[in-house]
Amino acid sequence: MQKQNNKRNPKSPGIHAFFGKKRFILILLPLFLLLLFLFFLLLYCTAENHEGPGRPDDFDSYSNSRVPPDSTRGSDPLPDYTTDTKSTVFEDRDGKLDFLDRYLDMPSEIIDTAYHIIYQDNSKGRVPGPSDYDIRAAFTVAAGDLPLWTKDMKKILPEQVNPDWWEDLKTSDFTWDIPSDAEYYKRPGSESYIVVCPGLNMILKMVSTQTLPVPLENSAFQKELPEELPGYDQFKFLAADALGYDHSAVPYIRAALTEKTYTADGAELTLVCYRAMFCNSPLYGIPVLVIIGEDNTSCTVLCGGSYDDEWYLADINGDGRDELLMQHLTGITGGAGAYESAIYRLTDGGPSKLFGSPDPDGNGYFDTYFSLHLSEGYTHTVQNGSAGFYTVFTRKGPEGNPYFDAEGNLTDEGRENNETDWLNTDPCFYLFKPVDTDGDGIYEIMTALYTYLYGRADGLGTAYTLLKWDNSMERMYIQKAGYWPYEDHEDDSQDYYQRWEDYENTWYQKEKPSPGDSLNAKELIKAASNQIRAIDFHVRQYPVDTSLFDSEMDRKYRKAFYQAVTNRKPVLCRAYRSLDYEEKTYQYILRSDSLSDQEFLRQELKQDSGYYYTDYDGDRLPELIIRNTGLYGLKYDPEQDNVYLFLSTYSSYSYFMGAGQIFWHNPCLASKDIYSYESEDRNGNRIYAGFETIYHWDEDSSSESYYISTNDYMDVEVSRNLWEELISLLFDAYEETPAPESYEEFFKGCY
C-alpha cells in the first residue's frame, strides 16, 4: 500500500510564501513596538526613581534622585509629597525638622529653623515627570558649621538675591536682618541660593525649579560701571573662577589695564588687569591679573579690593627683564589713604611675588625705621637709623599739642614719647614707583609714608625712602632716606607745594649738605672744637623732692624694685617700635633666661651689677639705674604699683655718668678706639661729643689719626694735642661719677 503524502504541494509556492511571511511580520511588528515602548518606559522610570520625589538639593553629590527616608518601597502604593506647608504649623522643633528632612538634605545640625515648602509631586500618573518645588528656609547653626553649607557652590552678587524671598518666614520669635557682611552663593546649573550671615550664625536658603528673575545684564548698577578696554572678554571667566564666583557675575568684570612684556627667552607676554566690580561701587573693585603667554594663561587675584590700581614695568633685580610693580589704593580715609604695594616676577606660568608690603604672608608692613625726638622750642628731630639720615625742624602744630606746653617745653607726654623716639607713620606706602637714580638700567623704588604727631589729622611730614633689591639676600633694603616737614600754616601756598614737588623729585639724587661743607679745614676744626668746649661735662645730679618722697616712700620704692629684679613682679616694657607696654621679667630683659634662679641671683644680680639710685630724668623722684651688660633704668609708679623699663642700652660699652648722662667706650673695633658722651635733659635736649683714634700700620712704621664729632660736625680730623685737650674735659668729669651700690647695700631689708 502506497503511503499518503500529507504535505501540501501548492501550484504557486513563491507567491504564497511571500504573503505568509508578510502576515507574520504584520503580526509581530505591533508586538515589537509595544515591547520597545515598555523598555524605554522602564528606563525612564528607573531614571526618575518613582519610589518618591527627589530631594531638591543633595549636598553630597548634587543629585535629585535621593529617596526621602520615609518613602514607600516595594509594591506598596507610593505616597504623595505634594505640600504647601509652613514651619509655623508645627508645635516643636523636632516636628519642624522631621518634616523638613523629607525635602532637603542638611549638611550640619540645625539649632532653629523657619521655612515655607511648596512641592508639587509629579512622580505619579501614566507618564511620571520631574517634580516642581519652591523651598525657602532660614536656619541657625553653629558658627563652625557655616562653611559646610556652601560646599561646591560659587559666590554671586547681592543683586542676584532678593531679600524678600524669606520675608514671610519671620515671626516674633525668629527674625533677622541680612547684615552688610553677608555672603551670597549659588549652585552652578541650578536655582539653588544661599545667604551666609556670619554674625548671626544664620543660613538663608532658596531652592526652586523656577528660573528666578535676577539677570545682572539688566541691572541699573551695571550702567554706572567704568568704561573698559575692549577685546579681552574671553578671559573674564578665568577671573570669575579665580575669585570663586559664578559665571553669571562676568558682566561685572571690567578690563582696566593692559601691557606687553617679554620673558627671559624673548617670549611675549600680554598682561591684563581686570577689576571685578562686586561691591556696589563704581570705584571699588577686586584686581585680577591675567598673563597670556604663548603656551599658558594664568590668573591671579592681586588683593582683596581697591579703589585704584597703578602698575609699572621695570627691571628691579638686574636680570635683564622687567618685573611688575603694583600699587593698590585700598582705603581713602585718614592720612594719605591705605595702600598695598607689591613686586612680581613674570613668567608665562604666572606671577610670583618678589616683595610685598604687607609681606607675602600678610604678617606686616615693611619697616622704614624712622624715629622722632622732641626737644624744647617745638624742635623735632626726625632720624632714619638704617640710612644714617636726620633732619631738624621746628613746628608748633595746632592748638592742643599734647607734647609741648605754651612755651615750647616738653610735657610728660612728650618725655614719654622720647623714651622710644616713636614717630607715628602710616604703615603703607602712598607712593611706590621705580626710579633709576644712577642710570644703570636697574631701578630703585621711591616710597613715601604719611607721618603725624599725635593724631592722623595732625600731619607732621612725608617720610621718603629709596629701596634697593639685594639679590644675595633676596630682600629689599633702605639705600637712602629723606623727609619733608609740613608747615604750620594751613593756607595753601603755591610756592610751598612747588618746593615740595621739587624736593620729591630730587631728594634721592642729592646728598644733604652738612654745616661744615661751607667751611675750610681750619674753620671746621675751630667750630667743632668750640662746640665741645661749650659742653658742661660735669656730673649732673637732680635733687629729690623730700615733700614728695619720704622714708616710707623710699621703703616702698626699694621693695618694688626688689620684686622686679628678682622676677617677683613683672616689668612693663615698650613693645618694639611702639608706645604700648608689654609685661616682661627682668631676667628676660637681661637675656639670662637660661640661668637658674640661684645662678641668676649670684651672677647677674650680685656679681655683675651695680646700682645707682638717683633722679635720672629730673622729675624730682628717684629711678633705679643698673649697670650690667649695658644700662637699664627702672621707674616706679606707686599709684599703679607698676615698675617700668625706661632706659636700656644693651651694650657693655655704656656706663652711667650722671642724671641723663652716659659715657661710652668701645676699644674693640679693628684699628679704632672710640669714646663718646651723650646727655639728654628733661626737656629733650641732646648733646653729643665723640672722640675717635684710628691706627695705621705698614711694613716699616705706624701712625694715628684723631677725629672729633659733635651734634653739627662729624669726623673732623684734628691734631693729637687738640684731641687730648678736648677729651680730657670728658675724662675729668667722668672721674666725678659716684660709685654704685652693691645688691646687698641697696636692697638691705628687702629680703
Side-chain angles (χ1 to χ4, degrees):
M1 186 175 178
Q2 188 178 8
K3 277 187 179 180
Q4 186 178 359
N5 189 350
N6 294 324
K7 292 184 180 180
R8 298 185 64 179
N9 189 21
K11 294 181 180 180
S12 307
I15 295 175
H16 285 283
F18 172 78
F19 283 100
K21 291 179 180 178
K22 185 176 180 180
R23 284 194 299 271
F24 181 75
I25 292 172
L26 292 175
I27 294 172
L28 290 182
L29 183 61
L31 182 61
F32 174 78
L33 293 175
L34 178 62
L35 291 173
L36 187 64
F37 171 78
L38 292 174
F39 174 75
F40 282 108
L41 181 62
L42 179 63
L43 289 178
Y44 175 82
C45 294
T46 303
E48 289 297 315
N49 193 347
H50 298 294
E51 291 184 309
R55 298 193 189 207
D57 201 30
D58 185 332
F59 287 88
D60 295 324
S61 59
Y62 186 55
S63 168
N64 291 334
S65 64
R66 295 279 304 273
V67 179
D70 57 352
S71 293
T72 302
R73 299 183 181 273
S75 60
D76 296 333
L78 297 175
D80 189 352
Y81 286 88
T82 300
T83 190
D84 186 344
T85 303
K86 290 188 175 182
S87 56
T88 51
V89 303
F90 299 97
E91 296 181 355
D92 56 28
R93 172 181 174 275
D94 290 343
K96 289 192 293 184
L97 294 180
D98 287 344
F99 186 82
L100 181 65
D101 191 57
R102 294 157 57 98
Y103 298 93
L104 287 180
D105 279 337
M106 307 300 156
S108 75
E109 293 291 328
I110 305 296
I111 298 174
D112 200 1
T113 183
Y115 55 76
H116 186 185
I117 300 175
I118 300 175
Y119 196 102
Q120 177 60 50
D121 187 354
N122 299 324
S123 63
K124 299 176 179 64
R126 293 182 179 180
V127 185
S131 298
D132 298 311
Y133 46 80
D134 186 281
I135 301 176
R136 310 173 191 217
F139 313 100
T140 52
V141 300
D145 290 339
L146 290 173
L148 300 175
W149 290 79
T150 58
K151 181 183 178 184
D152 300 326
M153 302 188 82
K154 296 289 186 179
K155 296 179 183 177
I156 57 173
L157 305 185
E159 290 79 8
Q160 296 178 261
V161 170
N162 186 352
D164 293 340
W165 290 346
W166 300 278
E167 196 63 27
D168 67 339
L169 303 183
K170 296 180 179 179
T171 66
S172 58
D173 297 326
F174 194 63
T175 189
W176 62 87
D177 291 312
I178 298 179
S180 59
D181 62 346
E183 300 171 354
Y184 300 79
Y185 295 85
K186 181 180 183 295
R187 192 176 300 281
S190 75
E191 298 298 327
S192 177
Y193 299 82
I194 276 184
V195 181
V196 180
C197 307
L200 305 175
N201 295 336
M202 176 171 282
I203 298 291
L204 302 177
K205 182 174 179 63
M206 149 72 89
V207 56
S208 177
T209 54
Q210 305 299 314
T211 301
L212 302 176
V214 285
L216 287 174
E217 292 85 351
N218 301 325
S219 68
F221 174 60
Q222 194 187 8
K223 299 177 182 178
E224 302 176 10
L225 297 181
E227 294 294 325
E228 65 172 334
L229 300 173
Y232 298 98
D233 289 353
Q234 66 268 39
F235 302 107
K236 291 181 178 181
F237 296 97
L238 295 178
D241 291 337
L243 292 164
Y245 273 78
D246 187 75
H247 286 179
S248 60
V250 161
Y252 275 51
I253 299 176
R254 322 294 283 182
L257 302 168
T258 184
E259 188 64 79
K260 292 186 183 295
T261 188
Y262 298 88
T263 65
D265 56 4
E268 185 179 85
L269 298 178
T270 300
L271 313 181
V272 184
C273 181
Y274 293 93
R275 291 181 57 79
M277 314 304 290
F278 292 163
C279 304
N280 266 340
S281 168
L283 300 176
Y284 194 82
I286 306 172
V288 182
L289 175 66
V290 172
I291 300 179
I292 306 158
E294 294 180 354
D295 301 318
N296 296 292
T297 300
S298 66
C299 187
T300 305
V301 180
L302 297 175
C303 74
S306 64
Y307 289 94
D308 190 30
D309 309 294
E310 291 183 345
W311 66 4
Y312 307 90
L313 288 170
D315 184 3
I316 302 299
N317 57 7
D319 63 354
R321 54 178 173 163
D322 289 338
E323 279 71 46
L324 175 66
L325 280 75
M326 295 294 311
Q327 177 76 336
H328 307 288
L329 174 59
T330 59
I332 56 177
T333 59
Y339 298 81
E340 291 186 17
S341 310
I343 303 174
Y344 297 91
R345 288 190 177 102
L346 300 173
T347 68
D348 60 356
S352 61
K353 187 174 284 189
L354 192 72
F355 169 84
S357 183
D359 65 27
D361 297 323
N363 295 326
Y365 290 86
F366 186 84
D367 194 344
T368 53
Y369 297 100
F370 281 93
S371 63
L372 169 68
H373 186 81
L374 306 172
S375 52
E376 68 178 342
Y378 305 105
T379 302
H380 301 65
T381 301
V382 172
Q383 297 175 284
N384 188 289
S386 181
F389 165 86
Y390 80 95
T391 187
V392 182
F393 59 94
T394 58
R395 180 178 181 273
K396 187 176 181 180
E399 291 292 328
N401 188 329
Y403 294 151
F404 297 96
D405 63 20
E407 287 73 40
N409 297 311
L410 286 187
T411 63
D412 287 341
E413 285 190 66
R415 283 184 282 273
E416 186 178 23
N417 190 89
N418 280 351
E419 290 180 16
T420 60
D421 283 345
W422 176 248
L423 174 62
N424 289 300
T425 66
D426 278 359
C428 47
F429 302 123
Y430 78 79
L431 187 66
F432 189 79
K433 68 177 185 179
V435 292
D436 187 3
T437 61
D438 52 10
D440 64 353
I442 303 173
Y443 284 75
E444 293 75 36
I445 302 169
M446 186 173 69
T447 74
L449 294 170
Y450 174 80
T451 73
Y452 53 97
L453 189 57
Y454 58 89
R456 293 193 80 207
D458 179 28
L460 186 65
T462 294
Y464 294 95
T465 54
L466 193 68
L467 304 185
K468 184 77 171 177
W469 181 255
D470 185 339
N471 279 310
S472 62
M473 300 294 293
E474 286 282 309
R475 65 174 181 84
M476 281 292 182
Y477 69 93
I478 300 173
Q479 187 180 65
K480 193 174 290 186
Y483 193 84
W484 179 264
Y486 302 152
E487 291 189 345
D488 265 327
H489 64 79
E490 298 181 357
D491 299 331
D492 287 339
S493 169
Q494 187 62 37
D495 175 68
Y496 169 76
Y497 288 109
Q498 184 60 55
R499 288 188 285 112
W500 184 3
E501 183 179 351
D502 292 342
Y503 177 85
E504 185 170 284
N505 293 329
T506 61
W507 71 268
Y508 54 88
Q509 299 173 344
K510 298 179 179 180
E511 296 289 345
K512 183 180 182 304
S514 68
D517 289 349
S518 60
L519 303 177
N520 59 40
K522 186 176 180 179
E523 292 170 334
L524 183 58
I525 292 172
K526 182 179 179 180
S529 59
N530 284 342
Q531 278 200 357
I532 291 179
R533 290 190 181 99
I535 298 174
D536 183 4
F537 290 106
H538 292 289
V539 170
R540 185 165 58 215
Q541 291 183 316
Y542 296 130
V544 173
D545 190 338
T546 55
S547 66
L548 301 174
F549 191 82
D550 54 18
S551 58
E552 180 60 31
M553 187 66 74
D554 178 67
R555 284 191 293 272
K556 189 173 183 178
Y557 268 56
R558 291 176 185 263
K559 182 180 178 181
F561 290 138
Y562 170 76
Q563 292 176 330
V565 301
T566 56
N567 305 320
R568 291 171 170 84
K569 176 193 275 301
V571 179
L572 295 179
C573 308
R574 296 288 192 190
Y576 176 67
R577 296 183 60 78
S578 171
L579 292 176
D580 297 327
Y581 288 100
E582 53 189 12
E583 292 186 351
K584 304 289 186 183
T585 65
Y586 181 64
Q587 188 169 352
Y588 176 87
I589 294 170
L590 292 188
R591 306 174 185 180
S592 302
D593 284 357
S594 60
L595 299 179
S596 66
D597 293 345
Q598 294 81 5
E599 290 174 324
F600 179 70
L601 174 63
R602 175 185 59 80
Q603 180 177 319
E604 298 290 352
L605 299 186
K606 294 184 178 182
Q607 176 181 304
D608 296 339
S609 292
Y611 300 84
Y612 300 89
Y613 193 45
T614 183
D615 180 9
Y616 185 84
D617 60 6
D619 66 348
R620 299 183 297 171
L621 294 169
E623 290 79 41
L624 178 62
I625 310 300
I626 306 172
R627 172 69 169 85
N628 189 273
T629 52
L631 291 178
Y632 304 90
L634 301 181
K635 193 178 191 67
Y636 178 58
D637 181 358
E639 293 184 2
Q640 301 293 327
D641 192 28
N642 288 327
V643 174
Y644 298 85
L645 179 73
F646 74 94
L647 172 68
S648 57
T649 63
Y650 294 107
S651 172
S652 60
Y653 307 129
S654 58
Y655 300 85
F656 173 79
M657 185 169 171
Q661 297 172 293
I662 299 176
F663 175 86
W664 297 81
H665 180 213
N666 183 359
C668 298
L669 296 175
S671 305
K672 291 184 181 181
D673 193 7
I674 301 175
Y675 296 88
S676 63
Y677 167 86
E678 293 178 7
S679 76
E680 182 177 339
D681 65 17
R682 184 164 174 77
N683 218 16
N685 298 305
R686 286 176 168 174
I687 294 175
Y688 172 79
F691 306 87
E692 182 176 335
T693 303
I694 299 179
Y695 302 95
H696 313 278
W697 293 276
D698 55 33
E699 295 181 357
D700 301 319
S701 62
S702 63
S703 61
E704 300 90 28
S705 300
Y706 299 90
Y707 299 87
I708 60 174
S709 298
T710 68
N711 285 28
D712 296 328
Y713 308 101
M714 296 298 294
D715 298 327
V716 178
E717 187 172 4
V718 298
S719 67
R720 175 176 178 174
N721 289 339
L722 180 56
W723 187 89
E724 290 178 345
E725 175 198 335
L726 297 174
I727 200 172
S728 67
L729 301 175
L730 173 60
F731 287 166
D732 292 345
Y734 183 64
E735 293 297 322
E736 303 169 4
T737 304
E741 294 184 80
S742 67
Y743 176 88
E744 290 82 4
E745 290 170 333
F746 181 73
F747 292 117
K748 184 179 180 181
C750 296
Y751 57 91

